[in-house]
Amino acid sequence: MASNSTRLRALALYKELHRLGREYPDPAYDFHGRIRRLYEKNKDLTDKDEIEKALKLGEYIKKETLALYSLRKYRHLKRMYPDSLTDPIP
Amino acid sequence: MRPSAARLLNILVPVKRAVDYAVKIRVNPQQTGIDTNVKHSMNPFDEIAVEEAVRLRERLKDQIKSIKAVTIGPPKSIDTLRTALAMGADSAIHVEMPESAPAPEPLAVAKALRAIIEKQEGGVDLVILGKQAIDDDLGLTGQMLAGLLNWPQATFASKVDIDVAKKEATVVREIDGGGEEIRCHLPLIITTDLRLNEPRYASLPNIMKAKKKPIEKLSASDLGVDLSPILETLKVSEPPKRVGGGKVESVDELIAKLKDAGITAV
């Protein structure tokens, strides 16, 4: 690993991703395993740009997972509690 | 010289630890209620309430003095409070009930909330609650609290605007057929509809910061309230299973089947 600051960022991101993975809706999808393998694959990077790219990918995965969770929740709630526009009185 | 500040607002957000939205609800073997040995999380409508309080602070800045979360429940409910604190509440109150105690009914919750509000130094100007809990779908607590306190209520809110100087709120309510815009004086009870906002995700750094925020512990006897149920549930059962439909080969067969079912021509 290049510098201490990127190491700290990588660790913080890992902890965040790990916590997110606990709520993954599909039990067959090994979220934790995948994150771990992705990190292990990149643990010996030394080039600053490559490290930056890897961190960006991690951030992207985090945002996509968050979007998945909130969309899933929103769709469920919208179906259970329809509003006057989607379920109009005839 | 700075003008003297208009009254600063204190917001109270009651939250409930409810069965998680993704859990399929099942009746328990004794048929006295639902199986509660499942994942719980903050009631989604209460998440929207916390989010609205935090957004009000983002809009009104220093005019919001405090955002306090409160929950009534077993020791595990403290996780719900931590989520509220991580989302942006300043402090919290936990009215702890023993693990084995039955869940409090809305009237008991409303009475406890009233006792808490009356205890608050500096008073409470706004109480934002979820419109209903997704595990019991009762939708009673906000309205009962308004009745007990004799405060105005703006329920099923899909938009909230506060004028602190005038101590007024303009709220759009979701009703059958559209939206109703009303103006209310503070102090006010608001219950949140799904359309009000989309709650933020409590990130890990915020969760860590929330660990330092104060949580006050209270008991029902501290508030002088009896949280035991006054209703007795006789039986809880699942709705009857849907019977499958049948396919018909021709219009005549359809008419014959309708006649058999007792449906005659108009």
Side-chain angles (χ1 to χ4, degrees), chain A residues 3-75:
Chain A
S3 72
N4 201 33
S5 71
T6 49
R7 182 184 147 83
L8 289 173
R9 278 169 65 194
L11 278 173
L13 186 59
Y14 185 83
K15 285 186 198 154
E16 190 100 56
L17 284 166
H18 190 92
R19 222 192 112 252
L20 269 181
R22 279 197 239 149
E23 289 171 42
Y24 202 83
D26 182 6
Y29 187 85
D30 182 20
F31 193 96
H32 288 154
R34 283 174 188 241
I35 293 295
R36 197 189 173 89
R37 282 189 288 277
L38 280 172
Y39 263 73
E40 281 176 355
K41 206 170 62 161
N42 289 330
K43 72 176 163 64
D44 294 317
L45 289 179
T46 46
D47 176 38
K48 211 175 236 180
D49 289 330
E50 286 199 11
I51 294 178
E52 211 48 55
K53 229 177 72 176
L55 284 171
K56 283 230 158 30
L57 177 63
E59 288 281 336
Y60 175 73
I61 292 174
K62 181 178 98 174
K63 290 204 186 99
E64 288 290 299
T65 311
L66 271 171
L68 167 75
Y69 291 171
S70 58
L71 270 175
R72 189 167 170 263
K73 189 171 204 170
Y74 177 72
R75 282 200 193 113

Side-chain angles (χ1 to χ4, degrees), chain B residues 8-235:
Chain B
L8 303 175
L9 298 188
N10 291 317
I11 304 182
L12 185 70
V13 186
V15 295
K16 180 183 178 188
R17 177 180 173 265
V19 175
D20 187 74
Y21 82 94
V23 169
K24 199 162 197 302
I25 300 214
R26 297 229 174 279
V27 180
N28 64 19
Q30 301 85 12
Q31 292 206 320
T32 51
I34 59 174
D35 179 16
T36 49
N37 198 12
V38 292
K39 179 169 187 223
H40 283 67
S41 53
M42 191 193 292
N43 180 30
F45 292 104
D46 299 348
E47 285 177 353
I48 295 174
V50 177
E51 176 67 24
E52 193 59 23
V54 177
R55 285 195 193 189
L56 277 171
R57 173 177 265 157
E58 284 170 357
R59 294 204 296 270
L60 300 172
K61 307 212 183 2
D62 290 338
Q63 295 179 298
I64 303 293
K65 185 158 179 233
S66 73
I67 300 175
K68 205 176 265 201
V70 57
T71 199
I72 300 168
K76 282 182 266 196
S77 305
I78 212 168
D79 293 333
T80 316
L81 286 180
R82 296 232 176 267
T83 310
L85 291 169
M87 284 172 74
D90 306 318
S91 60
I93 300 175
H94 184 189
V95 181
E96 197 164 332
M97 298 180 67
E99 186 78 44
S100 51
E105 292 165 351
L107 185 57
V109 172
K111 286 181 178 168
L113 289 175
R114 172 179 59 173
I116 290 171
I117 290 169
E118 284 166 357
K119 266 175 80 126
Q120 292 306 302
E121 269 186 49
V124 173
D125 304 285
L126 203 54
V127 184
I128 313 182
L129 306 95
K131 72 173 182 182
Q132 64 202 84
I134 59 170
D135 52 7
D136 55 36
D137 279 330
L138 287 170
L140 298 168
T141 309
Q143 290 86 333
M144 284 180 167
L145 181 60
L148 287 172
L149 288 169
N150 206 22
W151 285 10
Q153 55 182 294
T155 52
F156 319 121
S158 59
K159 193 169 186 299
V160 173
D161 283 303
I162 311 267
D163 187 332
V164 183
K166 285 193 191 159
K167 284 199 76 176
E168 269 174 14
T170 308
V171 179
V172 176
R173 303 179 56 230
E174 282 289 304
I175 59 174
D176 289 341
E180 174 192 58
E181 187 173 324
I182 59 174
R183 198 182 314 141
C184 324
H185 289 301
L186 300 186
L188 172 66
I189 308 280
I190 296 179
T191 72
T192 65
D193 180 78
L194 200 56
R195 264 79 19 196
L196 181 56
N197 61 45
E198 206 186 300
R200 65 197 56 199
Y201 161 70
S203 66
L204 199 53
N206 284 338
I207 293 178
M208 290 294 137
K209 268 188 258 170
K211 291 199 174 159
K212 301 199 185 94
K213 296 184 182 176
I215 297 183
E216 188 188 345
K217 283 238 194 296
L218 290 174
S219 69
S221 51
D222 291 335
L223 300 171
V225 182
D226 179 12
L227 294 176
S228 49
I230 56 179
L231 296 174
E232 184 194 343
T233 303
L234 297 176
K235 184 168 166 219

